[in-house]
Amino acid sequence: MKSAMPQRSTAGAAPLMRMVEPSPSPPTTDVGAQGFDKAAFEDQPVRRQWCAPPFVAPTHPLEEDELRAKLLLNRIRRALGARRQNWLQVFASFDHAGNGQLSELEFERAVTSMALGLSDQEIRDVRTFLQGAGSCLPVDQFGCALHQMSPDVVKVEQWARSTLVELAREAARAVRASGGAAPGATVRIVGLQSAAGAKLNGSEGVVERWDAGTCRWVVRLSDGLCKAILNDNMTVLRRAPAKADSDASDPDSAALYHL
């Protein structure tokens, strides 16, 4: 016979707080419910991210011939990137033996065909530097040299760039003072000799910009057409608007072309 439990009076008393049981802790056994083997997992090797070793610049200065060749190779690298040319494909078309090596003539013709802005002498200088005493130039050797960047080359290019900028500013001031062609000037086309160009003689237009790639001024004629005209084939009718020196922070090569 069950004894009656004494009833506790709740009148006037604070309500009882209900105890919340803690959530069960995860199993500590080596093998869980899903078959997870903790010991086996801990024995797995830790994957580490591989990083290339830092580049160590050479401490010895480059010889003059080597510096010149590497400067030319850097020009080739930038030109290939700007044109998005596949030089391997071009070299393969000139590799008649199919052995991954180019003769002197094949290399010079391959580089010339890509129209990278190098003279014949500059192409020969690059070939002589890479070829050395060998009779042929391996294609992979050209590729390795193409992607190497010497700190000496970077210093020389930075110096040359800053020097040319200052020269361009001085030359631009001299051109503006003399009333030469500049963006905004009104000009008349003269002296063209070709059959198509002779029809433009006497036409007037406004200079829009300088095209450094062709070393010509882009002139918008009265009919709206734009023509690339040499400086010698233009007569300035009205000077360009005055331009403050502060606006010439990034001068082009137009003034240098007239030096």
Side-chain angles (χ1 to χ4, degrees), residues 117-185:
L118 273 70
S119 66
D120 294 340
Q121 183 60 49
E122 290 172 334
I123 296 176
R124 282 193 294 270
D125 291 342
V126 173
R127 191 258 305 161
T128 302
F129 170 73
L130 296 177
Q131 183 178 353
S135 58
C136 295
L137 196 153
V139 175
D140 57 351
Q141 182 179 352
F142 174 79
C144 292
L146 195 64
H147 293 89
Q148 290 178 353
M149 177 65 70
S150 171
D152 292 342
V153 172
V154 175
K155 292 179 181 179
V156 170
E157 288 189 339
Q158 290 176 346
W159 169 83
R161 191 176 294 110
S162 61
T163 302
L164 287 175
V165 166
E166 292 300 323
L167 286 175
R169 286 174 179 167
E170 293 296 329
R173 295 189 189 101
V175 169
R176 289 198 299 271
S178 64

Side-chain angles (χ1 to χ4, degrees), residues 31-145:
V31 180
Q34 290 80 14
F36 175 76
D37 191 345
K38 181 179 179 182
F41 176 77
E42 291 177 348
D43 291 339
Q44 294 295 326
V46 178
R47 294 183 178 272
R48 302 181 185 275
Q49 185 177 3
W50 183 86
C51 296
F55 173 75
V56 179
T59 56
H60 62 281
L62 300 179
E63 298 293 337
E64 183 177 352
D65 293 342
E66 183 180 3
L67 178 61
R68 172 177 170 80
K70 290 191 173 183
L71 283 168
L72 294 174
L73 284 167
N74 201 33
R75 282 177 54 190
I76 294 175
R77 180 181 60 81
R78 285 199 302 267
L80 289 173
R83 298 169 180 263
R84 297 185 178 181
Q85 285 181 312
N86 188 341
W87 64 269
L88 272 174
Q89 203 171 40
V90 176
F91 277 27
S93 64
F94 284 87
D95 183 12
H96 300 297
N99 58 359
Q101 297 186 0
L102 299 180
S103 65
E104 297 178 0
L105 184 59
E106 289 173 343
F107 176 82
E108 293 178 6
R109 286 181 175 177
V111 178
T112 302
S113 69
M114 291 186 284
L116 302 176
L118 273 70
S119 66
D120 294 340
Q121 183 60 49
E122 290 172 334
I123 296 176
R124 282 193 294 270
D125 291 342
V126 173
R127 191 258 305 161
T128 302
F129 170 73
L130 296 177
Q131 183 178 353
S135 58
C136 295
L137 196 153
V139 175
D140 57 351
Q141 182 179 352
F142 174 79
C144 292

Side-chain angles (χ1 to χ4, degrees), residues 198-219:
K199 298 178 181 179
L200 298 176
N201 289 333
S203 301
E204 298 182 3
V206 178
V207 177
E208 287 200 341
R209 60 182 175 84
W210 170 257
D211 185 358
T214 61
C215 291
R216 285 170 167 80
W217 291 104
V218 177
V219 180

